[in-house]
Amino acid sequence: MMRRQKIDPEVQEDLSRVTDFDAELVKTLATVGTPVSIPQGWSIIMQSTPADSAYIVLEGEVEIRKSGEVLATLGPGDVFGEIALVNHRLRSASVVASSAIRALRLEASALESLIEQDPTFADTLRSTAERRMANDAKDS
């Protein structure tokens, strides 16, 4: 079950601005997620490690890297770290902050509960994961 905490109004406002999620999902995400600030150049996720969380970028940009090569750059509203959680696998790539970022960190248990409770959110995550995995397979 998702842990309930107080809604973070700043996160709620940022999510509404950078995503197409409906108001109820934004409210839930702002309640169960943890806002984090990550300096430029920091590794957020390391390739081939177990997955414990996913992130939604609120401000700034991250690079998705595989074996040191930049595969994609993601910005506000983009989700990363979901592929390993959705597919129950090790991380398929590393993620590095290419600028200072603010993001919403979603622990695996919270993400799993959201996927069960919100079919639209689940479909969005699955389609994003499938698209990135297909692009990754083409680049290999």
Side-chain angles (χ1 to χ4, degrees):
M1 186 66 179
M2 289 185 288
R3 120 188 131 196
R4 287 281 175 193
Q5 53 194 37
K6 188 175 178 185
I7 292 174
D8 185 322
E10 184 178 353
V11 169
Q12 187 174 11
E13 183 179 315
D14 288 343
L15 285 169
S16 294
R17 181 176 42 82
V18 301
T19 69
D20 293 331
F21 299 146
D22 66 40
E24 191 60 34
L25 178 57
V26 165
K27 183 178 176 182
T28 301
L29 289 167
T31 302
V32 301
T34 304
V36 295
S37 295
I38 301 166
Q40 180 178 359
W42 279 34
S43 292
I44 304 161
I45 289 175
M46 296 298 297
Q47 185 175 339
S48 301
T49 60
D52 64 349
S53 58
Y55 298 81
I56 301 172
V57 179
L58 301 174
E59 293 177 10
E61 291 185 336
V62 298
E63 292 178 346
I64 309 299
R65 299 178 182 176
K66 188 162 188 169
S67 303
E69 180 184 339
V70 176
L71 302 177
T73 300
L74 305 179
D78 289 324
V79 178
F80 66 90
E82 81 289 355
I83 292 173
L85 292 173
V86 169
N87 294 312
H88 306 286
R89 303 171 102 176
L90 294 177
R91 301 286 191 183
S92 61
S94 296
V95 179
V96 177
S98 52
S99 69
I101 72 160
R102 280 188 58 246
L104 186 66
R105 181 180 188 270
L106 300 167
E107 292 183 23
S109 59
L111 192 67
E112 288 168 8
S113 292
L114 282 167
I115 288 169
E116 288 174 15
Q117 294 173 13
D118 191 321
T120 303
F121 182 67
D123 290 345
T124 299
L125 285 184
R126 284 189 188 97
S127 64
T128 300
E130 288 169 4
R131 187 174 58 253
R132 287 198 194 134
M133 289 177 64
N135 287 340
D136 189 33
K138 280 193 297 187
D139 294 336
S140 296

